[in-house]
Amino acid sequence: MGTTMVRMENVRKNFGDLEVLKDISFELKQGEVVAVIGPSGSGKSTLLRCLNRLETIDGGSIAIEGEYLVRDAKYVEEAEARRICGKMGMVFQQFNLFPHMTVLDNLLEAPMIVKKMARADILPIAEELLRKIGLEEKRDVYPTKLSGGQQQRVAIARALAMNPDIMLFDEPTSSLDPELTGEVLKTMRNLAEENMTMIVVTHEMGFAREVAKRVIFMADGVVQEEGPPEELFETPKNERLKMFLNSILR
Amino acid sequence: MEKILSMIYPLAEGSVVTLQLFAVTLLLSLPLGLLLALARISKIKPLSKTVELYNWVMRGSPLMLQLLFVYFALPSFGILLPDVAAAVLAFVLNYAAYFAEIFRAGIQSIQKGQYEAARALGFTYVQTMRRIIVPQMIKRVLPPVGNETITLVKDTSLVYVLAMNDLLRAARTIVQREFDMTPFFIAAVFYLAMTFIVTRVFNWLEKHYARYDE
């Protein structure tokens, strides 16, 4: 298989006395789509947030595309960490678009401010991204005028405007009305078909089953079972996973 | 009528002093207030604590006392300031503390998700503040900042204890000379005109920022 994009080694994370991640290790190859599932409080969102240091880890190592972001809980210096994390884009449950900027400006902002790109250079890329998500006619609209599904698609485009190698999705459809999840999942599916490396923390079992090449089931801060979706969903071995699948597929 | 017209000129002159003091104070205390607010929310404890103490002292003691201190007490420490500079200094130091607390509350009201989105996109802390947080903060603090600005128009009249010929002092001088209360009424009209303009400016700003919701 291809190059290793993300490697976590024995990652530990505590919130006070609570151990949310206990000795997590995993690897992600180029072009792989991994779904992380599990009950709430299992640590799956924390796992994702540790990758781009929205949370700092208390033990273990994380390497992105072969470069250590943190080694034995010691982080590289700030500018270096920012550069390494720049290879990853992130999409949040609550979208977190910038409400004071139009849709187009949301896409232009980071490339212009962080990468110091000229507006003329990023503009065609942003317009192409808006066309891809089918929202080119909304370019001059402010985000709150859009539906949740549209906002989330803009959030995906905003992350893609930074040209990341890896996309992190933190429950991207969890705050959407059921009839709006489809359009977001379709955008993500298109991205997967373009061979984007993706980690998706999700409750959408359909998506995990159809799009993910590998599913990771987490509970109590531990990876309880992982494997191809058909194996995980059809012949689960772990007791916690069996219980979890029973409770959601019932 | 002619009498009123003869009073208008010195009162207009006094208004210029009032307006200058108002404008310079506003121009200096707003950015200073923002810097203080950022220092106040800083993770550097000594800095944050120092600003907290500063804000308490400036907001917790009378502005009049601070004016008199700068004007009369500083010279005894060998610091001699011209009248206008002394007044401006006292006003700026005082109003910056009020603006700082308003800005701090505004900054802290912005959702955590905005910081996280900026961080995930690679923004530094300074870029996040400048491009994402502070612009959104401005919309939220407009009403309280408008209040403070109107208060400032009227607070400028405190300089009448100093030897500055502001609007109120100009009015009082005529009243005492002519035993006629009319200048007080004219002065009130002048103050109302100024606060009316300030109110309109802030209404316009609020409308401008209403182009987006949160």
Side-chain angles (χ1 to χ4, degrees), chain A:
Chain A
M1 249 190 135
T3 36
T4 301
M5 302 298 273
V6 174
R7 195 167 65 243
M8 270 190 157
E9 296 163 353
N10 313 105
V11 167
R12 284 188 298 103
K13 166 74 185 169
N14 308 318
F15 287 128
D17 288 338
L18 185 71
E19 234 187 329
V20 278
L21 297 180
K22 304 168 188 165
D23 199 31
I24 301 269
S25 299
F26 84 91
E27 266 193 26
L28 187 68
K29 301 284 187 192
Q30 186 165 28
E32 222 185 344
V33 177
V34 168
V36 184
I37 61 170
S40 57
S42 59
K44 55 191 193 303
S45 280
T46 307
L47 172 91
L48 202 66
R49 292 165 56 83
C50 285
L51 285 177
N52 67 350
R53 77 209 167 112
L54 288 180
E55 307 285 355
T56 50
I57 63 174
D58 299 306
S61 310
I62 297 173
I64 309 297
E65 296 182 24
E67 288 183 285
Y68 276 106
L69 167 68
V70 44
R71 193 168 198 168
D72 295 324
K74 233 181 97 61
Y75 278 84
V76 296
E77 57 108 7
E78 173 67 20
E80 182 73 352
R82 215 166 28 238
R83 184 184 62 77
I84 292 171
C85 288
K87 299 174 192 296
M88 294 176 282
M90 187 165 192
V91 174
F92 300 85
Q93 181 179 347
Q94 298 297 340
F95 330 135
N96 296 340
L97 290 171
F98 303 133
H100 59 306
M101 297 176 188
T102 62
V103 164
L104 181 65
D105 284 336
N106 263 276
L107 267 62
L108 300 179
E109 180 69 8
M112 286 172 67
I113 297 300
V114 176
K115 286 189 175 171
K116 316 279 183 220
M117 284 176 77
R119 192 186 157 90
D121 292 334
I122 185 64
L123 186 64
I125 298 170
E127 283 172 334
E128 172 63 17
L129 283 168
L130 285 178
R131 201 189 52 75
K132 263 189 179 170
I133 60 167
L135 290 175
E136 66 261 64
E137 80 283 9
K138 300 283 188 193
R139 51 176 272 171
D140 297 321
V141 168
Y142 286 93
T144 45
K145 297 270 187 284
L146 303 177
S147 73
Q150 292 174 330
Q151 287 190 49
Q152 193 61 299
R153 280 144 67 199
V154 172
I156 294 171
R158 178 179 67 174
L160 291 175
M162 287 296 277
N163 195 24
D165 298 332
I166 304 154
M167 283 287 282
L168 314 177
F169 292 86
D170 189 5
E171 304 197 21
T173 56
S174 293
S175 57
L176 294 176
D177 292 334
E179 76 269 23
L180 299 177
T181 57
E183 55 186 86
V184 172
L185 292 176
K186 186 172 157 246
T187 304
M188 291 167 63
R189 190 167 291 148
N190 291 343
L191 205 52
E193 278 161 13
E194 287 170 21
N195 223 21
M196 176 62 81
T197 309
M198 293 162 64
I199 307 180
V200 186
V201 171
T202 187
H203 295 296
E204 293 287 337
M205 294 305 139
F207 181 83
R209 200 188 281 253
E210 291 158 35
V211 183
K213 294 189 183 69
R214 185 154 56 108
V215 177
I216 293 178
F217 172 69
M218 278 186 75
D220 305 324
V222 176
V223 173
Q224 305 276 353
E225 187 169 341
E226 65 171 296
E230 52 275 18
E231 215 174 284
L232 224 84
F233 287 115
E234 305 308 329
T235 55
K237 295 172 205 68
N238 180 279
E239 281 308 314
R240 292 293 310 267
L241 175 58
K242 285 179 191 169
M243 267 164 56
F244 177 71
L245 291 177
N246 265 328
S247 67
I248 55 159
L249 298 176
R250 197 159 28 99

Side-chain angles (χ1 to χ4, degrees), chain B residues 20-21 24-25 28 67 83-93 164:
Chain B
Q20 281 172 339
L21 185 57
V24 176
T25 300
L28 295 177
L67 260 176
D83 289 3
V84 184
V88 164
L89 180 66
F91 274 102
V92 168
L93 293 181
M164 278 176 70

Side-chain angles (χ1 to χ4, degrees), chain B residues 1-20:
Chain B
M1 192 63 207
E2 202 170 302
K3 197 179 71 181
I4 291 178
L5 283 177
S6 74
M7 289 170 179
I8 295 254
Y9 184 71
L11 290 182
E13 271 189 333
S15 297
V16 171
V17 174
T18 294
L19 283 172
Q20 281 172 339

